[in-house]
Amino acid sequence: MSKELKVKHIACIGAGYVGGPTMAVIAQKCPDIKVTVVDMNEQRIAAWNDANLDNLPIYEPGLAEVVAEARNRNLFFSTDVDGAIAAADMIFISVNTPTKTYGIGKGMAADLKYVELCARQIARVATSDKIVVEKSTLPVRTAQSIRTILDAENKGLQFQVLSNPEFLAEGTAVQDLHQPDRVLIGGGQDQAGQAAVQALVDIYARWVDRERIITTNVWSSELSKLTANAFLAQRVSSINAISALCEKSGADVDEIARAIGKDSRIGPKFLKASVGFGGSCFQKDILNLVYIARSYGLTEVADYWEQVIKMNDYQKRRFAENIVSKLFNTVSGKKIAILGWAFKKDTNDTRESAAIYVADYLLNEQAELWVYDPKVKAEQVYADLDYLNTRSEAENRRLVKVVNDPYQAMDDAHAVAILTEWDEFKTYDWQKVYEGMKKPAFLFDGRNVVSSPALLGLGFKYIGIGHCVS
Ligand code: NAD
Ligand code: UGA
């Protein structure tokens, strides 16, 4: 590989929540580089190519504008994985790395079969030197396995494997990509490795300040990603642990968050007590970290991080149990409105959403649920519940109604449970909601989003997280 590399054609395998937005922004910022995003999921690619930008497979504020600017200029979406690999000089792997559901490490380790398939496909198809970039979140030392697979074909080609984990958060993906806190690139320490690192630095440097682009060795980069997610999730579990103590002691968790967040060593972010964190990554990545620590024999380290997940499970369960106990110990046959199904606001992603687990708990208690979410479709709600396998698909459809009108969901309900912090919930006519509900009218606010004094004066039995006002 020559010392100075200039990337002309990027391929990205995986057109999901990371591959799609990340590549759209790279294409937007680098009009001279051709960017081809490929996926084996034909439906997903068709949606990325849909002329109507409302039909993009992912909802993210600002994403449609970025796609509109770059699509069919230098950004292309395709199912031709081989073609894109062959043409590219840099290939991002952005495929999913879910928790294993079988075999050794079941329920803990990351399932790397999709990543390995990509590496094998690159090795098979490549006829020129490639820089392969790990964009997926991967266990430390995965780059070594990828490198071994790539080199095994013995074609006389030069492969460099870089780690470039993605730190975007859903709902703010475009903003995070345009103005990242940092970009992290790990690469080989030899001359060829450093040339590959520099090629990727040059791409990001088109719009990211150079001092925000951190370069490290590959293993530090891989492990930094798991560590960042573990630290973030740990903050949520920490404040949620305190929320339980607040409910017993009369302290208010939002006041505590404000008080401790002023300490510049602690900082104000990620201190919002909630019904529990969700999303596709926090749980999966911590489980993976725990698994890695255990596999190195580091039991105390593994136990320490595992507690973050246990606290999160406790928080979801505690919220659901509280609904049943406040509703006089039975919700059987009672209409309960669920406001919000996505794992956070401004996304249509429901993976590991706390709503799924709270709903499942209430359904086990034979509640009748009416679900409203501004961005999540009914099929997704049913698919999430069916996936748990707790009851038959027919039963899920009998007990759960998904509606497009929040007032219909809340009308004549015994209780409303807010599970996502959508801004629109704050602007509802809560007086009208109150009048339409059964009395006492319970409002369980799993996100502390509607706890204004005006609303509390309406007569609701209001139960928030980490404080209890009724
Ligand atoms: P996703 O499931 O939305 O997308 C992955 C895509 O890869 C799917 O569309 C799938 O069809 C495709 N795919 C899998 N194997 C393939 C193959 N062999 N050939 C072609 N296509 C293939 O996943 P995601 O949320 O985009 O996450 C991808 C990775 O990024 C994960 O490792 C995740 O941990 C990490 N990550 C995700 C986020 C996030 O916010 N979702 C943020 C940072 C990092
Ligand atoms: C998270 C990280 O923030 C990203 O940096 C990372 O790239 C990504 O995971 C990933 O690897 O997938 P994301 O899961 O999209 O991003 O969203 P977050 O904003 O981190 O929220 C995660 C969950 O924690 C949500 O359910 C959210 O409601 C909850 N949360 C967050 C709280 O309950 N309280 C808080 O103070 C913050």
Side-chain angles (χ1 to χ4, degrees):
M1 213 172 264
S2 63
K3 269 190 211 157
E4 277 198 29
L5 300 169
K6 178 141 175 38
V7 176
K8 294 196 187 74
H9 191 159
I10 289 174
C12 173
I13 310 177
Y17 284 85
V18 165
T22 310
M23 293 303 127
V25 167
I26 290 183
Q28 181 196 30
K29 300 291 185 185
C30 309
D32 55 318
I33 299 179
K34 183 175 177 188
V35 179
T36 308
V37 189
V38 288
D39 203 295
M40 58 190 181
N41 182 334
E42 287 176 15
Q43 229 184 333
R44 217 166 200 185
I45 291 298
W48 280 113
N49 281 322
D50 200 307
N52 181 353
L53 291 165
D54 288 340
N55 293 336
L56 293 183
I58 290 163
Y59 171 71
E60 278 291 337
L63 179 60
E65 288 79 358
V66 177
V67 171
E69 188 182 330
R71 195 174 58 181
N72 298 330
R73 178 189 69 183
N74 63 323
L75 173 66
F76 301 90
F77 294 94
S78 163
T79 50
D80 180 11
V81 182
D82 281 359
I85 291 173
D89 29 40
M90 178 176 273
I91 303 166
F92 285 79
I93 298 179
S94 294
V95 299
N96 38 327
T97 50
T99 304
K100 266 187 97 176
T101 53
Y102 55 89
I104 293 175
K106 178 179 172 179
M108 297 294 291
D111 190 344
L112 299 180
K113 72 177 167 201
Y114 305 109
V115 174
E116 180 173 335
L117 280 171
C118 290
R120 287 187 183 280
Q121 197 163 358
I122 295 168
R124 180 170 54 76
V125 172
T127 53
S128 57
D129 297 352
K130 310 280 179 201
I131 299 173
V132 175
V133 185
E134 298 174 341
K135 184 51 103 176
S136 299
T137 302
L138 297 169
V140 58
R141 299 200 78 84
T142 303
Q144 195 167 40
S145 314
I146 294 179
R147 184 72 194 257
T148 306
I149 291 168
L150 292 173
D151 289 341
E153 290 278 334
N154 269 328
K155 288 183 176 174
L157 300 177
Q158 295 236 30
F159 292 105
Q160 284 299 323
V161 182
L162 304 181
S163 161
N164 172 222
E166 185 47 58
F167 295 101
L168 69 79
E170 290 179 30
T172 53
V174 173
Q175 192 190 319
D176 295 342
L177 289 164
H178 279 160
Q179 288 154 328
D181 284 350
R182 77 326 208 162
V183 166
L184 179 58
I185 301 171
Q189 301 301 297
D190 57 358
Q191 206 179 33
Q194 287 301 298
V197 168
Q198 190 57 44
L200 188 51
V201 168
D202 289 344
I203 290 173
Y204 283 110
R206 309 267 194 114
W207 75 97
V208 180
D209 286 346
R210 187 59 188 82
E211 64 269 22
R212 286 183 188 267
I213 304 176
I214 301 169
T215 57
T216 64
N217 78 34
V218 187
W219 321 132
S220 305
S221 174
E222 289 175 332
L223 192 53
S224 293
K225 173 64 195 176
L226 291 183
T227 308
N229 273 359
F231 270 61
L232 290 168
Q234 180 204 45
R235 278 176 75 97
V236 179
S237 276
S238 296
I239 199 72
N240 282 344
I242 297 301
S243 77
L245 197 49
C246 287
E247 288 164 28
K248 296 283 183 203
S249 62
D252 182 313
V253 77
D254 290 329
E255 290 184 351
I256 291 179
R258 203 164 70 240
I260 66 168
K262 287 283 181 204
D263 185 324
S264 60
R265 295 166 301 174
I266 296 175
K269 293 183 183 167
F270 262 72
L271 288 178
K272 186 77 193 147
S274 69
V275 56
F277 62 73
S280 61
C281 293
F282 277 180
Q283 173 160 312
K284 149 178 101 64
D285 291 348
I286 294 176
L287 289 172
N288 189 13
L289 187 65
V290 170
Y291 182 77
I292 293 168
R294 274 205 214 298
S295 62
Y296 282 116
L298 302 171
T299 307
E300 286 78 3
V301 177
D303 290 350
Y304 174 77
W305 287 108
E306 194 162 31
Q307 201 57 34
V308 174
I309 302 287
K310 287 186 180 161
M311 183 53 62
N312 197 48
D313 289 341
Y314 166 73
Q315 187 77 347
K316 291 182 277 190
R317 195 175 61 245
R318 206 168 70 77
F319 185 81
E321 280 170 359
N322 209 11
I323 295 179
V324 177
S325 87
K326 290 285 189 302
L327 288 177
F328 314 106
N329 289 316
T330 176
V331 291
S332 179
K334 290 182 179 168
K335 176 176 177 178
I336 299 178
I338 302 283
L339 293 191
W341 194 263
F343 80 98
K344 62 186 278 196
K345 73 173 181 178
D346 292 337
T347 176
N348 60 350
D349 194 348
T350 65
R351 291 178 288 180
E352 292 297 332
S353 178
I356 303 169
Y357 298 95
V358 171
D360 189 52
Y361 184 97
L362 296 174
L363 290 170
N364 281 343
E365 294 291 330
Q366 300 183 344
E368 188 192 299
L369 302 184
W370 289 56
V371 177
Y372 166 77
D373 185 290
K375 289 288 173 201
V376 179
K377 298 198 170 103
E379 311 90 75
Q380 187 61 52
V381 172
Y382 292 127
D384 290 337
L385 289 169
D386 293 344
Y387 184 76
L388 296 179
N389 249 325
T390 315
R391 64 195 69 72
S392 71
E393 295 186 5
E395 221 176 333
N396 281 332
R397 277 143 196 81
R398 186 174 64 77
L399 291 169
V400 181
K401 295 198 174 38
V402 185
V403 291
N404 293 323
D405 175 5
Y407 293 96
Q408 191 189 358
M410 294 186 278
D411 187 45
D412 209 29
H414 286 261
V416 173
I418 296 178
L419 298 179
T420 313
E421 72 281 23
W422 287 102
D423 289 332
E424 66 170 58
F425 298 162
K426 294 179 197 162
T427 64
Y428 287 175
D429 182 347
W430 286 104
Q431 169 94 45
K432 178 174 145 189
V433 172
Y434 177 73
E435 284 163 10
M437 284 178 66
K438 288 218 169 12
K439 309 295 178 317
F442 287 93
L443 178 50
F444 296 92
D445 188 351
R447 300 289 185 161
N448 289 350
V449 279
V450 295
S451 56
S452 72
L455 192 141
L456 299 178
L458 295 176
F460 282 105
K461 295 273 179 207
Y462 176 87
I463 295 107
I465 298 281
H467 53 84
C468 190
V469 193
S470 45

